[in-house]
């Protein structure tokens, strides 16, 4: 589990990650990687399951409140 959470913090190619992995690390991506991260994440919304969309939106709200 820690590999899933910490490896992407330094990765710049988020396209190899699953939707679930991307959703899990929302809010934990280094500032320099946020733009490509959110670009990849947003490109996936249309292919997300209903459950993934719910978790994505929930995490997005949490992030916006904390900034």
């Amino acid at each position: 589990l820690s590999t899933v959470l910490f490896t992407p913090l330094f990765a710049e190619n988020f396209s190899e990650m699953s939707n679930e992995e991307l959703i899990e690390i929302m809010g934990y991506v280094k500032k320099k990687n946020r733009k490509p991260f959110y670009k990849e994440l947003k490109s996936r919304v249309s292919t997300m399951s209903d459950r993934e969309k719910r978790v994505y939106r929930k995490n997005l709200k949490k992030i916006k409140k904390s900034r």
Side-chain angles (χ1 to χ4, degrees), residues 1-61:
L1 181 65
S2 63
T3 304
V4 171
L5 292 176
F6 296 110
T7 301
L9 296 177
F10 305 102
E12 293 190 30
N13 184 1
F14 298 103
S15 64
E16 295 179 9
M17 298 177 68
S18 69
N19 290 347
E20 193 169 311
E21 289 171 324
L22 291 173
I23 293 167
E24 284 181 20
I25 64 168
M26 289 175 71
Y28 297 100
V29 177
K30 286 188 172 188
K31 191 173 185 174
K32 69 177 186 168
N33 295 330
R34 286 183 189 158
K35 189 173 182 176
F37 170 76
Y38 282 107
K39 181 179 180 181
E40 180 65 31
L41 188 60
K42 287 177 184 179
S43 75
R44 307 258 192 114
V45 173
S46 64
T47 63
M48 289 180 185
S49 68
D50 289 339
R51 183 192 156 284
E52 288 172 332
K53 285 179 185 176
R54 278 194 307 275
V55 177
Y56 164 73
R57 289 182 183 123
K58 181 180 175 183
N59 287 352
L60 198 57
K61 285 180 185 178

